[in-house]
Amino acid sequence: MAKEDTAFQEQEGRTVLLIEDDSAIAEEVIGELKARGFFVRHAARGDTGLETALLGEADVMVVDRLLPGMDGLSVIENMRQQGVRTPVLVLSALSAVDDRVSGLKAGGDDYLTKPFAAEELIARLEALLRRPDDTRVTKLRAGPLEMDLIERRVWRDGREIDLLPREFRLLEYLMRRPGQVLTRSMLLEDVWQYRFIPRTNLVDVHIGKLRRKIDVPGEEPLIQSIRGAGFQLRVSD
Amino acid sequence: MFLTELFRTATFRITLMALAAMAGVMIMQFGLVYAQMEAVESRRSTEILEGEAELLSQMSPEHLEYVIRRRATGDLRLLISSVGLFDPGHALIAGDMHTWPHGLKPDGKPHNVRIYPEEGDPYPLRLLAVTLSNGTVLVLGRSFHLLAEQKLMLRHTMLVAAAPTFMFALFLGIVLSHRALSRVKDMHEAIDRIMAGDIHERLPAAKERDDVERLAGSVNRMLDRLEHLMDGMREVGNDIAHDLRTPLSRVRARLERAVAAGDGVEGQKAAMSRAVDDLDQCLGIITALLRIAELENSRRTEGFAEVSLGELVEDVFDLYEPIAEMEGKRLLKHPQSTVVQVWGDRHLLIEMLANLVDNAIKFTPEGGSITLDFGSAPGCAMLMVTDTGVGIAPEERQVVLSRFYRSDKSRHVPGSGLGLSLVSAIAHLHEASVSIETGTHGVGTCFRIVFPT
């Protein structure tokens, strides 16, 4: 994928610590991250990875579960006990039903099962790097969009838009992350709390319905589909 | 060789223990009879001696002397084996006792005294001495002869009885152990054959009349189950190969064509992205299979909590309504105010219901409807997904829940063919049953999940 047609932000100077023992996957991920402008540090063992993590120099971490020296979950638990708050994305080839739960319980912030698409990884890292602002606000603004969380109302340039509760939830999620690429599985997991995709066009249909209400013909389209990755609320601020 | 093995069998050891117990019981019985006999004989001796002494002491001294002299050779010998009349200085007046028995007290009570004759071995005698009115002492003695004879007889009897009893028990033990041994040996051989790869082989269980046969029967049933599972796995393996072959061949053909056609960058990009889609489908199949395997193997119910079926229906309805609408079908739910709760994992239950709804939407023609409903009956809670689709023939109903089964009617519908297997795996984890019925008014299908509550 050439860099100019990517919807992802340039991540100049952001450091990712990758703890992964499989050299093929590591190489792939490092190449992908560097192409996006990330600065990457790599550890192939759990124990050495933990040492690096404790330096606190990384902005975000990608940790595999099965590692020599020390398993990924122990690395995260240790790190959290020592007060390092770096956001962590857990990678795993284990697909156990409650594997994700144990990964998140150990202090991981997000979870991705192998095999994964590079776009999925990048989108999730971006989401981790840009945690949405204070969730206690009562009004959200994103470009021409305005949302009142108390009264559950939405306006575009002053025109009120009537949304169903599920559409409201979806738009709230998008508005809290303007400019970020959001993959289908991220939307399913965070908006519906689903962990599986029974059919691929599920999210597209929901986005489609929301888009028809938000982007009236003649207006500048705000909700963009990013081929091969997902969706993005594109607002020029 | 056989003997050493024989001693190692439990049956034989038990036989030996039983033998030891029998011997103990016999010895105890014998001892009791023995003691009883002695007691009876001693009581009889006492009575006889006392009775005779009573009788004899009534007589005048002269008459008594005469009687004693006569008795020494007369029939009194049967009851009283020896008699002696002694003067107060313990010198013999008449009778067959030559000397005053050593240590005898003339107190009118019977005493067991050892007699040392001039020739021959000493022998015990039961003696009773009474001092008569004229100062003479009458001594009556009764031998233990009779008792000794009876005891001897008893010993003989016991030996004669014990030997064949023990021999018979031992023989029986050996025969039984041998039988058990040969059965165990047969089982060993059968197990060896099974381990060598003949999984159709079974242990000899006959009619399961005893513990060993029942155990063999249980092992056989376990083997049946394992064989069934292995067959299942083999089938799944074949199915995976079969199901992955199609999309993989497509990928291959596409890429080959793209290479051969020498299209521009755009054409190649398109070919690649289609190949990626095909590969995603392969991965989807593998993921679904892994999930099913996981669910079938996992007995873990960590994520279980009270789940409201109403909320479950709401959630899935919320997710699927736009999909149905987009495809020109109606997704409906029965409005209900009752709260029905089941014990389960919310995520898995949503996945199950979503799969059912997804399936129902797929197989319902345009203009049809899919209805979600739930309810409860005593001891159970129910989830129903009813569609107005093509329906499932009764003979296909059980089969559709197995892996990869695609009805002929569904060949053209995309999907991994694993949705319903996933449904049945999740239901199984929740101890719920899945039944497939004809839909309302004889149209379409109704999937009914019944949970125990």
Side-chain angles (χ1 to χ4, degrees):
Chain A
M1 200 176 204
K3 242 198 309 180
E4 54 273 13
D5 66 340
T6 173
F8 290 103
Q9 322 285 307
E10 270 299 330
Q11 296 292 343
E12 217 52 67
R14 296 292 215 151
T15 303
V16 180
L17 169 58
L18 170 69
I19 311 180
E20 164 67 76
D21 59 326
D22 182 324
S23 55
I25 292 180
E27 207 174 304
E28 197 67 42
V29 171
I30 292 168
E32 199 65 47
L33 290 172
K34 283 188 169 160
R36 313 269 184 204
F38 282 102
F39 181 66
V40 187
R41 300 194 62 165
H42 173 225
R45 293 177 54 86
D47 39 13
T48 54
L50 178 61
E51 282 168 29
T52 317
L54 291 177
L55 300 174
E57 290 169 358
D59 297 299
V60 67
M61 287 170 58
V62 179
V63 181
D64 191 5
R65 276 204 60 169
L66 297 171
L67 291 168
M70 181 190 267
D71 76 276
L73 292 193
S74 308
V75 171
I76 299 165
E77 275 169 353
N78 261 297
M79 193 179 93
R80 292 285 183 250
Q81 274 162 11
Q82 314 242 6
V84 178
R85 312 278 333 127
T86 316
V88 175
L89 172 72
V90 184
L91 278 188
S92 171
L94 306 169
S95 63
V97 176
D98 49 5
D99 194 41
R100 159 189 299 274
V101 180
S102 59
L104 299 182
K105 263 194 197 148
D109 301 277
D110 198 359
Y111 197 96
L112 195 52
T113 314
K114 294 175 185 175
F116 52 87
E119 277 79 10
E120 187 75 42
L121 178 70
I122 305 292
R124 284 169 185 267
L125 286 182
E126 270 193 8
L128 287 178
L129 284 167
R130 303 199 303 162
R131 284 293 175 77
D133 313 329
D134 192 358
T135 47
R136 287 169 301 177
V137 297
T138 58
K139 279 199 162 61
L140 291 178
R141 289 188 150 282
L145 291 172
E146 205 179 329
M147 178 178 272
D148 186 327
L149 293 167
I150 307 282
E151 295 192 0
R152 318 291 292 168
R153 292 166 74 186
V154 178
W155 297 266
R156 176 170 181 167
D157 290 327
R159 167 176 65 89
E160 186 164 355
I161 302 167
D162 189 20
L163 294 180
L164 292 171
R166 60 172 170 254
E167 293 162 346
F168 189 90
R169 279 209 309 273
L170 184 56
L171 183 63
E172 181 191 344
Y173 188 79
L174 293 171
M175 282 177 70
R176 285 184 186 277
R177 295 159 185 78
Q180 276 187 56
V181 177
L182 304 167
T183 66
R184 290 172 179 78
S185 58
M186 282 165 83
L187 290 167
L188 267 176
E189 282 167 27
D190 296 342
V191 179
W192 283 278
Q193 279 92 51
Y194 280 23
R195 297 194 214 135
F196 67 102
I197 310 177
R199 55 160 82 187
T200 42
N201 69 341
L202 200 66
V203 177
D204 300 61
V205 173
H206 284 272
I207 290 277
K209 286 186 78 88
L210 178 64
R211 189 187 270 147
R212 278 193 291 280
K213 288 184 176 180
I214 301 286
D215 299 330
V216 180
E219 289 178 332
E220 189 196 343
L222 299 176
I223 302 178
Q224 305 281 340
S225 298
I226 312 298
R227 189 175 157 65
F231 305 95
Q232 185 181 40
L233 185 68
R234 197 171 288 176
V235 288
S236 41
D237 271 354
Chain B
M1 165 67 203
F2 167 70
L3 270 181
T4 53
E5 272 190 29
L6 184 68
F7 287 124
R8 281 172 44 201
T9 63
T11 318
F12 188 74
R13 281 203 298 271
I14 291 168
T15 306
L16 285 184
M17 274 187 243
L19 271 177
M22 266 169 64
V25 167
M26 272 181 99
I27 286 166
M28 213 163 72
Q29 263 183 333
F30 174 73
L32 279 170
V33 170
Y34 223 74
Q36 199 60 30
M37 255 169 60
E38 271 194 317
V40 166
E41 176 56 29
S42 134
R43 241 201 338 269
R44 241 182 84 204
S45 297
T46 307
E47 276 166 16
I48 287 171
L49 288 171
E50 282 175 347
E52 281 294 318
E54 179 81 20
L55 212 64
L56 293 173
S57 57
Q58 307 288 324
M59 302 176 178
S60 65
E62 297 77 21
H63 187 211
L64 175 65
E65 210 172 307
Y66 164 77
V67 167
I68 289 175
R69 286 186 203 288
R70 281 278 315 277
R71 250 177 220 227
T73 51
D75 58 353
L76 187 70
R77 292 191 70 106
L78 270 180
L79 292 177
I80 304 290
S81 40
S82 54
V83 182
L85 187 62
F86 295 87
D87 66 10
H90 291 184
L92 184 72
I93 299 168
D96 53 10
M97 280 184 194
H98 303 295
T99 54
W100 177 261
H102 180 72
L104 180 66
K105 288 193 190 72
D107 56 2
K109 291 194 174 78
H111 295 282
N112 292 351
V113 176
R114 255 189 129 56
I115 303 293
Y116 297 90
E118 286 158 0
E119 15 186 276
D121 298 329
Y123 55 91
L125 207 57
R126 199 166 175 74
L127 293 173
L128 181 138
V130 267
T131 310
L132 303 176
S133 50
N134 63 354
T136 54
V137 185
L138 173 66
V139 180
L140 299 175
R142 185 176 154 82
S143 85
F144 288 93
H145 219 79
L146 206 65
L147 181 65
E149 262 179 23
Q150 281 176 333
K151 280 181 174 174
L152 187 72
M153 218 165 66
L154 191 66
R155 278 201 299 272
H156 274 289
T157 312
M158 198 184 89
L159 284 175
V160 167
T165 307
F166 285 160
M167 292 304 288
F168 180 68
L170 194 64
F171 169 76
L172 209 64
I174 291 176
V175 169
L176 286 176
S177 337
H178 181 59
R179 259 193 60 200
L181 194 65
S182 70
R183 278 160 68 195
V184 171
K185 208 166 150 185
D186 289 348
M187 284 182 193
H188 271 303
E189 283 166 3
I191 289 174
D192 285 342
R193 281 195 296 275
I194 294 166
M195 300 224 307
D198 182 3
I199 56 166
H200 304 299
E201 177 68 40
R202 290 293 176 268
L203 305 186
K207 290 194 177 130
E208 301 196 18
R209 280 173 307 230
D210 62 15
D211 289 345
V212 178
E213 285 182 354
R214 269 197 292 277
L215 178 67
S218 297
V219 172
N220 285 345
R221 281 186 288 278
M222 183 181 83
L223 287 169
D224 287 342
R225 178 91 187 108
L226 284 174
E227 196 183 336
H228 177 73
L229 287 172
M230 278 169 73
D231 286 347
M233 277 172 63
R234 225 195 331 268
E235 257 168 53
V236 168
N238 292 340
D239 288 340
I240 297 173
H242 189 83
D243 263 56
L244 288 180
R245 237 169 98 154
T246 316
L248 285 173
S249 315
R250 263 209 310 271
V251 176
R252 199 176 171 286
R254 274 218 181 97
L255 292 175
E256 239 177 358
R257 265 207 309 279
V259 170
D263 291 344
V265 175
E266 278 310 311
Q268 283 184 0
K269 258 194 176 171
M272 277 185 197
S273 80
R274 272 210 299 280
V276 168
D277 289 345
D278 286 340
L279 287 175
D280 279 344
Q281 197 195 337
C282 298
L283 287 172
I285 290 174
I286 291 169
T287 307
L289 272 172
L290 286 173
R291 275 191 66 68
I292 292 170
E294 232 168 75
L295 288 168
E296 285 179 348
N297 296 333
S298 115
R299 289 281 156 269
R300 278 175 303 177
T301 47
E302 281 171 24
F304 275 39
E306 289 286 340
V307 181
S308 150
L309 291 186
E311 285 175 24
L312 211 65
V313 164
E314 278 304 329
D315 283 345
V316 174
F317 179 84
D318 204 49
L319 189 66
Y320 274 92
E321 196 199 15
I323 313 284
E325 190 187 321
M326 191 190 73
E327 297 186 12
K329 303 154 192 181
R330 280 172 309 141
L331 184 60
L332 310 165
K333 57 176 196 272
H334 272 292
Q336 281 207 44
S337 54
T338 48
V339 176
V340 178
Q341 297 216 309
V342 295
W343 185 250
D345 182 316
R346 180 180 165 274
H347 288 284
L348 291 176
L349 290 174
I350 283 193
E351 185 168 355
M352 176 176 79
L353 190 55
N355 266 295
L356 285 174
V357 172
D358 199 273
N359 217 42
I361 293 175
K362 258 189 229 168
F363 292 108
T364 301
E366 217 167 311
S369 67
I370 298 96
T371 312
L372 299 182
D373 198 2
F374 67 96
S376 63
C380 68
M382 282 172 289
L383 262 182
M384 283 81 79
V385 178
T386 315
D387 64 44
T388 56
V390 288
I392 300 173
E395 62 272 14
E396 281 190 347
R397 283 177 190 173
Q398 207 36 57
V399 160
V400 291
L401 295 169
S402 66
R403 290 178 198 177
F404 287 116
Y405 181 81
R406 312 283 307 260
S407 152
D408 285 339
K409 295 173 182 169
S410 66
R411 291 269 166 234
H412 59 282
V413 181
S416 63
L418 288 166
L420 289 180
S421 332
L422 206 55
V423 167
S424 75
I426 293 173
H428 188 77
L429 187 71
H430 288 80
E431 290 169 9
S433 64
V434 184
S435 63
I436 303 175
E437 299 152 21
T438 307
T440 33
H441 312 306
V443 178
T445 313
C446 170
F447 278 85
R448 185 188 298 270
I449 316 281
V450 181
F451 298 87
T453 47

